[in-house]
């Protein structure tokens, strides 16, 4: 059983704890949160008491020999520094997305964990969705034929609920509207299916939000393997997460997180539905198995760094007024030549 400290007990930090334990009792045999690091203990106390988490500072968690790993659920700009500090203290690290806001920072965090011989795992939870795994298998098996285009949409009303001074709304943590927090999931999914991105052209607008955050952000991608791509995030509409991949034989679409529809060029269509799946529990248990050395965490760090590089290029394109930006860094090509 891996003993972990949760760092940040906001909305998502609590979600991660609840995914693997109930009232302090582990749900499985892989990972158990025993400590929590927060800055404001009063707000976190009721939850921490219920989950039997010892409250303290990040620094106290790092020097506690009874903590094997830290799980970072903190603002984006804090991630790379906290990863480096945890690695230097000999802790394994699970960190929420995005790993960093620049490729240089992402590579530095990855290098720190490698130098310390510690596991670094990213919370790209949508990779664990059974419907997404099925879509990816279809693409890699060539069932859609040569891939022409892929597109992803992630939308919600999140921006309408943020306070004007929320970290999530500011340029330091969310420099491209919803692309930083939400679109990074879409970018990661497309990189997992289609491999590295060559260049990006992006735009971002504030149509309705009155806080300092864009609500309407989109990026056109060109993949090195040939296809085009499009990723959009909206911060002031109804919630949806969708993904479509178009090939010369037909297309596959995830209209939501639990369905996959495959439509052949003839018009024949098959709909597959999958049970609701706890991706947070799956990713944390995969992290624990990687810490024990039983398996490799299934999100390659090359892909993670490349996703950050695409995000950075998108931000640069937005700031330049829409200039096409090439993407630094390398990701693996998951299907040499099949699309
Ligand atoms: N995978 C997913 O689907 C998903 C979904 C939602 C969020 N997330 C990710 O989870 C992470 C946390 O998001 P969240 O929604 O939980 O945010 P949140 O509710 O604002 O919580 C962030 C926590 O971090 C702590 N913190 C540490 N340093 C901070 C700082 N400098 N400024 C503000 N807070 C700081 C805060 O606690 P103290 O003030 O007590 O320190 C706070 O409880 C982000 O990386 C986000 O992208 C992932």
């Amino acid at each position: 059983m891996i003993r972990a400290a949760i760092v940040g007990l906001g909305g998502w930090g609590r979600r991660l704890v609840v995914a693997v334990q109930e009232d302090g009792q582990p749900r499985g045999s892989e990972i158990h949160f025993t400590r929590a690091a927060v800055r404001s203990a009063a707000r976190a106390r009721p939850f921490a008491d219920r989950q039997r988490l010892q409250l303290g500072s990040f620094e106290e968690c790092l020097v506690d020999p009874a903590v094997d790993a830290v799980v970072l659920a903190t603002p984006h700009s804090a991630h790379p520094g906290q990863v480096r500090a945890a690695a230097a203290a000999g802790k394994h690290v699970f960190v929420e997305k995005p790993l960093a806001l620049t490729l240089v920072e992402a590579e530095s965090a990855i290098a720190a964990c490698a130098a310390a011989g510690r596991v670094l795992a990213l919370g790209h939870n949508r990779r664990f969705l059974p419907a997404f795994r099925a879509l990816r298998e279809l693409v890699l098996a060539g069932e859609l034929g040569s891939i022409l285009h892929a597109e992803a949409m992630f939308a919600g009303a999140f921006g309408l609920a943020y306070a004007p001074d929320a970290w999530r709304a500011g340029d330091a943590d969310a420099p491209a509207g919803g692309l930083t927090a939400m679109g990074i999931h879409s970018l990661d999914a497309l990189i997992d299916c289609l491999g590295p991105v060559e260049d990006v052209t992006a735009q971002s607008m504030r149509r309705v939000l009155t806080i300092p955050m864009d609500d309407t952000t989109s990026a056109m991608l060109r993949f090195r393997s040939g296809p085009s791509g499009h990723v959009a995030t909206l911060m002031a509409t109804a919630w949806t997460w969708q993904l479509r991949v178009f090939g010369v034989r037909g297309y596959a679409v995830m209209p939501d997180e639990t369905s996959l529809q495959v439509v052949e060029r003839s018009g024949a269509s098959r709909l597959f539905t999958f049970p609701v799946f706890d991706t947070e529990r799956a990713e944390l248990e995969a992290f624990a198995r990687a810490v024990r050395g039983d398996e490799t965490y299934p999100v390659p760090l090359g892909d993670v760094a490349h996703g950050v590089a695409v995000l950075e290029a998108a931000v640069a394109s937005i700031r330049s007024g829409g200039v096409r930006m090439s993407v630094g860094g390398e990701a693996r090509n998951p299907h040499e030549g099949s699309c």
Side-chain angles (χ1 to χ4, degrees), residues 7-16 37-44 72-79 82 95-98 123-126 154 162 166-168 173 180-182 184-185 257 279-280 283:
V7 183
L9 270 184
W12 202 248
R14 292 175 193 225
R15 167 72 199 116
L16 292 171
V38 294
R39 298 173 311 171
S40 26
R43 208 169 43 223
L72 304 174
T74 50
H76 306 149
S77 58
H79 292 170
Q82 289 177 335
V95 56
E96 266 307 327
K97 38 53 47 174
H124 284 303
N125 53 338
R126 285 175 175 80
F154 197 162
Y162 294 162
W167 68 264
R168 280 174 165 284
D173 283 281
T180 312
M182 297 147 64
I184 192 79
H185 285 295
E257 293 185 334
T279 55
E280 290 74 67
E283 65 185 358

Side-chain angles (χ1 to χ4, degrees), residues 12-228:
W12 202 248
R14 292 175 193 225
R15 167 72 199 116
L16 292 171
V17 172
V18 165
V20 296
Q21 65 199 51
E22 185 180 1
D23 297 337
Q25 289 301 319
R27 295 183 193 277
S29 55
E30 310 276 14
I31 184 164
H32 181 205
F33 285 103
T34 54
R35 287 198 72 132
V38 294
R39 298 173 311 171
S40 26
R43 208 169 43 223
R45 177 85 54 206
F47 180 87
D49 286 350
R50 196 161 60 250
Q51 289 288 355
R52 298 185 205 152
L53 302 171
Q54 186 185 347
L55 276 177
S57 69
F58 180 51
E59 292 70 24
E60 284 166 345
C61 289
L62 295 189
V63 296
D64 183 347
V67 168
D68 305 308
V70 295
V71 173
L72 304 174
T74 50
H76 306 149
S77 58
H79 292 170
Q82 289 177 335
V83 171
R84 287 191 291 265
K91 307 301 182 194
H92 299 280
V93 187
F94 178 100
V95 56
E96 266 307 327
K97 38 53 47 174
L99 171 58
L101 298 168
T102 65
L103 179 59
V104 166
E105 282 281 71
E107 286 179 335
S108 147
I110 291 169
C113 290
R118 302 290 93 175
V119 171
L120 174 61
L122 259 291
H124 284 303
N125 53 338
R126 285 175 175 80
R127 283 210 189 201
F128 292 79
L129 285 170
F132 172 69
R133 295 169 70 84
L135 182 149
R136 179 180 185 273
E137 286 312 310
L138 276 179
V139 173
L140 297 195
E143 288 197 34
L144 299 177
S146 193
I147 302 300
L148 308 171
H149 177 76
E151 57 191 31
M153 164 61 79
F154 197 162
F158 312 109
L160 294 169
Y162 294 162
D165 61 348
W167 68 264
R168 280 174 165 284
D171 222 35
D173 283 281
L179 208 56
T180 312
M182 297 147 64
I184 192 79
H185 285 295
S186 305
L187 290 172
D188 182 66
L190 294 186
I191 290 167
D192 194 23
C193 288
L194 302 182
V197 175
E198 182 66 31
D199 55 48
V200 188
T201 314
Q203 60 182 341
S204 195
M205 290 162 278
R206 198 169 308 161
R207 303 285 318 286
V208 296
L209 290 185
T210 52
I211 57 171
M213 178 183 210
D214 291 344
D215 45 56
T216 304
T217 305
S218 58
M220 287 194 300
L221 315 172
R222 286 199 314 176
F223 289 88
R224 268 182 226 162
S225 54
S228 60

Side-chain angles (χ1 to χ4, degrees), residues 158-322:
F158 312 109
L160 294 169
Y162 294 162
D165 61 348
W167 68 264
R168 280 174 165 284
D171 222 35
D173 283 281
L179 208 56
T180 312
M182 297 147 64
I184 192 79
H185 285 295
S186 305
L187 290 172
D188 182 66
L190 294 186
I191 290 167
D192 194 23
C193 288
L194 302 182
V197 175
E198 182 66 31
D199 55 48
V200 188
T201 314
Q203 60 182 341
S204 195
M205 290 162 278
R206 198 169 308 161
R207 303 285 318 286
V208 296
L209 290 185
T210 52
I211 57 171
M213 178 183 210
D214 291 344
D215 45 56
T216 304
T217 305
S218 58
M220 287 194 300
L221 315 172
R222 286 199 314 176
F223 289 88
R224 268 182 226 162
S225 54
S228 60
H230 189 257
V231 170
T233 56
L234 304 175
M235 300 297 290
T237 186
W239 191 93
T240 189
W241 192 84
Q242 300 176 8
L243 192 58
R244 287 183 198 78
V245 182
F246 296 85
V248 73
R249 289 196 191 147
Y251 68 87
V253 52
M254 278 179 70
D256 53 47
E257 293 185 334
T258 55
S259 322
L260 176 65
Q261 186 183 15
V262 183
V263 182
E264 294 172 24
R265 220 171 47 207
S266 65
S269 167
R270 285 167 291 156
L271 179 66
F272 304 91
T273 51
F274 298 82
V276 172
F277 182 76
D278 190 338
T279 55
E280 290 74 67
R281 181 170 177 181
E283 65 185 358
L284 287 170
E285 292 186 344
F287 169 58
R289 291 193 293 276
V291 167
R292 283 207 313 271
D294 293 347
E295 62 185 56
T296 303
Y297 187 74
V299 184
L301 290 171
D303 289 9
V304 170
H306 189 69
V308 171
V310 177
L311 180 64
E312 187 179 11
V315 173
S317 176
I318 290 164
R319 287 182 178 154
S320 73

